[in-house]
Each structure stands twice: as structure tokens, then as C-alpha cells.
């Protein structure tokens, strides 16, 4: 089993190395009309794919937004999740100002009334699943005349205009692997080989009630933003998961409890290179992907499963054993992951590796 997984890992790494930058970019547009009742679309190649009707448009922005929003880039997506997408307008006095995109059926505390575009639908689907934009995706506003301008705090989208997200995906690492103990290595594997990018300050030991996990399944990514990776340990329709955060988030008022609770893994940068708001963990790559889970019992096909279909996956080793899916854990269970020794998160990558 181990040799087979190693073969798949090396096989896909070799394929990645042969893909040119032009081929590595997968692009599509998300177009959301600022008109209640209008249909939002994903424009992909020669297809227009409906992702829900617009139910509400924002009349204002949220300030101050959640702390980590300020680590994003204005005019870009600063959070991508199964239950909300947040877009950064500006950073003012060290705090972010945002508007959001949410499904009509959701739990999204960071999106307050009047500050969100609401699309008809459920969390975990459409732009909150298979078509989710990664953190860092540019956001523009197109006028009825066809001109485009960046999303800014001084010029919110108006009735009759269109919000446009231009999704560009570049060659990610194959996975990030984490040793779940104090001082443990955080390493990525890509065509360049292994690279250690951080270390573990505080390991994860349990799960908690992170609301958005209601719309995700076990061993899948619930959310990624400039200061959080949120992993679900509960089936779709149940709540349970844990979070991975950079050390910088320890100074955030809303994260003060993470130092004496087991539901957070805390990572520290190496050589002074910041983790928060930067790729590969907190910008650029990770997205929730579609909610469907195929063949969870067949670990042989995990690399293929992550490779095609834009699925983020989390695997673990318990007491140093073989790689497996995370154990199911619903709600707050402080010790449900105490035996977890290794964690691996596969980066979603739907590029076609073989092209003429």
C-alpha cells in the first residue's frame, strides 16, 4: 500500500514538472449580476454554468471584518469556504473592510445583514464547492457599458452592474505534510522535492463546533482564508472539525482561546517568512471543492481523487500507522485526535498533465 501511494506521488510530481506555465493556468470567470432575480454564471471555456439566482445585493460593507481579512489583498477574495466567500475592499487602520457572497441557506457569522450578495442555494455547492475561487482571486465590477474597475471601498457595486471574479489556478504543490507534535515539520512536496516551510508550535488534539462544517464531509476542507485552514471531521449535515492557524493569529482577540484548547493547530514560520496571507497555505491554492465523496474506503486512489475534480483532501496517520481518512468526530471532543501523529493535505489540481 505504501509503495503504491509513493508511486502515485512521484508519478504526479513528474507530470507536474512537464507542464508549462501556460498550460498550468486554468481560468474561468464568475459573473454575478447586481439585480435581484438575475442568474449568476460561471463562464468556463465555451459553457455558461448557472450557479444560482441573486436574492439580495449589498447596500454597505462590513467594518471591521474578521481580523485575518486585513492580511489579504484589497480587491481580491480573502476567504473561500463552503458557506461564504469574503472579498476585501480595503485595509483601514489595520482592519479589513469586506463584502461577502453567501448562499441563501447558510451559517456565516462573518457576513452581516446588508453586506452580502446572497445567491439562491445551499452551502457546499456551485461557487461554494466545485467552482470556489481560491484566496487571492481578483474581483472587478463591470458596468452596463462594459467597462471594468477594481472592487474598492469607495465604489461598491451598484444595481445593474456585474461583480466578476477571475479565477486563475497555478501549479500547486502536491501536498503539505505536518508532523503533529511540538516542533514538528511542516513540509510541502512539489516537482522540486520536499521543502520545510514551517514548524508546529501547538499540535491539534480534538475537534470543535465550527459551524460551516455542516456543509462539508469528513477529511475535506471547509474553509481557507488568510489566517485559517478549517478541516471537517463530520459528515455533511453534522458539525465538527478543527483549524490550522499561523502563529500571528494568536494575537487576534477572537482567537485567544486557542492557546488552552485542543481544537487548533498553531504553526510558526521559519526564517521570518510570514505564513499568514501567503501561499501555499493561506493564499492561492486551497478550496473546498465539491461535496461529493467517492470511494472513501479505497485509499489507493487518493492521489487521483485529489488530482481530478478540484478536491482538497486531508489524510492522517494514527499512532504512526498507515495513511487513512480522518476519524469521524462530531461536535466538541477534546481528545478525539490525541493519537494523530501526521496530517497530510492534498492541494486540489485539475490541470490536464498530458497535452500535445
Amino acid at each position: 500500500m505504501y509503495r503504491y501511494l509513493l508511486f502515485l506521488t512521484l508519478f504526479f510530481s513528474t507530470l507536474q514538472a512537464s507542464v508549462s506555465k501556460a498550460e498550468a493556468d486554468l481560468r474561468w470567470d464568475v459573473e454575478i449580476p447586481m439585480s435581484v432575480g438575475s442568474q449568476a454564471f460561471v463562464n468556463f471555456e465555451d459553457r455558461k454554468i448557472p450557479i444560482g439566482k441573486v436574492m439580495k445585493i449589498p447596500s454597505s460593507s462590513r467594518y471591521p471584518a474578521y481580523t485575518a481579512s486585513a492580511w489579504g489583498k484589497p480587491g481580491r477574495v480573502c476567504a473561500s469556504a463552503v458557506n461564504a466567500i469574503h472579498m476585501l475592499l480595503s485595509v483601514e487602520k489595520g482592519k479589513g473592510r469586506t463584502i461577502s457572497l453567501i448562499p441563501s441557506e447558510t451559517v456565516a457569522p462573518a457576513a452581516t445583514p446588508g453586506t452580502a450578495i446572497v445567491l439562491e442555494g445551499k452551502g457546499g455547492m456551485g461557487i461554494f464547492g466545485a467552482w470556489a475561487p481560491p484566496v487571492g482571486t481578483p474581483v472587478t465590477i463591470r458596468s452596463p457599458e462594459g467597462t471594468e474597475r477594481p472592487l474598492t471601498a469607495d465604489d461598491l457595486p451598484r444595481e445593474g452592474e456585474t461583480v466578476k471574479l477571475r479565477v486563475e489556478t497555478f501549479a500547486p504543490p502536491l501536498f503539505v505534510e505536518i508532523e503533529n507534535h511540538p516542533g514538528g515539520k511542516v513540509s510541502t512536496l512539489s516537482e522540486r522535492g520536499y521543502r520545510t516551510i514551517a514548524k508546529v508550535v501547538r499540535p491539534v488534539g480534538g475537534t470543535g463546533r465550527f459551524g460551516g462544517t455542516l456543509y462539508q464531509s469528513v477529511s475535506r476542507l471547509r474553509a481557507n482564508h488568510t489566517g485559517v485552514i478549517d478541516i471537517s471531521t463530520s459528515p455533511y449535515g453534522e458539525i465538527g472539525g478543527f483549524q490550522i492557524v499561523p502563529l500571528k493569529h494568536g494575537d487576534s482577540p477572537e482567537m485567544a482561546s486557542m492557546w488552552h484548547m485542543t481544537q487548533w493547530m498553531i504553526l510558526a514560520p521559519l526564517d521570518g517568512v510570514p505564513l499568514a496571507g501567503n501561499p501555499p497555505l493561506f493564499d492561492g491554492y486551497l478550496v473546498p471543492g465539491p461535496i461529493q465523496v467517492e470511494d472513501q474506503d479505497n485509499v489507493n486512489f487518493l492521489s487521483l481523487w485529489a488530482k481530478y475534480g478540484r478536491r482538497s483532501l486531508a489524510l492522517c496517520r494514527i499512532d504512526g500507522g498507515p495513511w487513512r481518512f480522518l476519524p469521524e468526530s462530531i461536535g466538541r471532543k477534546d481528545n478525539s485526535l490525541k493519537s494523530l501523529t501526521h496530517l497530510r493535505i492534498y492541494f486540489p489540481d485539475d490541470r490536464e498533465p498530458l497535452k500535445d
Side-chain angles (χ1 to χ4, degrees), residues 14-295:
T14 301
L15 288 179
Q16 282 181 334
S18 68
V19 178
S20 70
K21 183 178 186 299
E23 292 173 324
D25 298 351
L26 177 69
R27 296 183 172 93
W28 65 83
D29 294 331
V30 179
E31 295 191 355
I32 307 166
M34 294 295 95
S35 176
V36 173
S38 296
Q39 181 67 247
F41 289 95
V42 165
N43 292 320
F44 177 60
E45 296 180 343
D46 58 350
R47 292 178 289 160
K48 292 190 74 170
I49 301 163
I51 55 172
K53 289 184 178 180
V54 176
M55 299 184 68
K56 293 182 181 179
I57 62 175
S59 57
S60 61
S61 56
R62 178 168 184 175
Y63 179 84
Y66 62 95
T67 298
S69 65
W71 307 333
K73 301 175 182 67
R76 294 176 180 260
V77 170
C78 57
S80 185
V82 294
N83 58 324
I85 292 165
H86 303 302
M87 296 167 280
L88 183 64
L89 304 176
S90 61
V91 179
E92 305 165 21
K93 298 180 180 179
K95 299 182 184 297
R97 180 183 294 275
T98 61
I99 61 172
S100 302
L101 176 62
I102 62 174
S104 56
E105 183 180 315
T106 192
V107 177
T112 48
T115 66
I117 304 164
V118 180
L119 291 183
E120 184 178 20
K122 295 183 178 181
M125 299 180 183
I127 194 172
F128 308 102
W131 299 104
V135 173
T137 296
V139 184
T140 58
I141 303 169
R142 188 177 64 206
S143 72
E145 295 73 32
T147 60
E148 288 191 27
R149 65 184 188 275
L151 180 69
T152 66
D154 299 327
D155 199 2
L156 291 178
R158 298 183 289 270
E159 179 80 28
E161 296 186 318
T162 299
V163 172
K164 182 177 176 181
L165 288 74
R166 180 67 169 169
V167 177
E168 300 181 349
T169 61
F170 302 93
L174 184 65
F175 57 70
V176 58
E177 192 168 307
I178 303 171
E179 299 173 351
N180 189 42
H181 61 80
K185 292 181 181 178
V186 180
S187 304
T188 57
L189 177 64
S190 68
E191 64 268 19
R192 299 183 182 89
Y194 274 98
R195 183 170 72 95
T196 301
I197 60 171
K199 63 181 179 180
V200 175
V201 174
R202 183 175 173 84
V204 68
T207 60
R209 295 185 58 82
F210 299 103
T213 53
L214 183 72
Y215 303 102
Q216 189 54 287
S217 49
V218 179
S219 271
R220 303 295 302 283
L221 189 95
R222 196 282 296 184
N224 183 218
H225 69 55
T226 44
V228 159
I229 298 171
D230 194 344
I231 304 294
S232 174
T233 59
S234 57
Y236 187 89
E238 301 282 355
I239 294 175
F242 65 93
Q243 294 189 341
I244 303 169
V245 300
L247 184 62
K248 183 177 181 177
H249 219 346
D251 297 329
S252 305
E254 72 263 36
M255 302 299 289
S257 61
M258 73 182 188
W259 289 104
H260 48 83
M261 296 182 70
T262 63
Q263 287 76 17
W264 285 271
M265 175 188 289
I266 305 173
L267 307 182
L270 298 178
D271 304 323
V273 179
L275 294 175
N278 287 312
L281 300 183
F282 302 103
D283 184 274
Y285 298 123
L286 290 171
V287 291
I291 61 173
Q292 291 84 1
V293 178
E294 304 96 348
D295 202 11

Side-chain angles (χ1 to χ4, degrees), residues 286-315:
L286 290 171
V287 291
I291 61 173
Q292 291 84 1
V293 178
E294 304 96 348
D295 202 11
Q296 279 207 16
D297 296 327
N298 194 342
V299 79
N300 286 346
F301 293 98
L302 291 178
S303 291
L304 291 170
W305 192 67
K307 181 73 180 174
Y308 295 102
R310 219 161 168 256
R311 302 165 172 88
S312 293
L313 286 178
L315 302 180

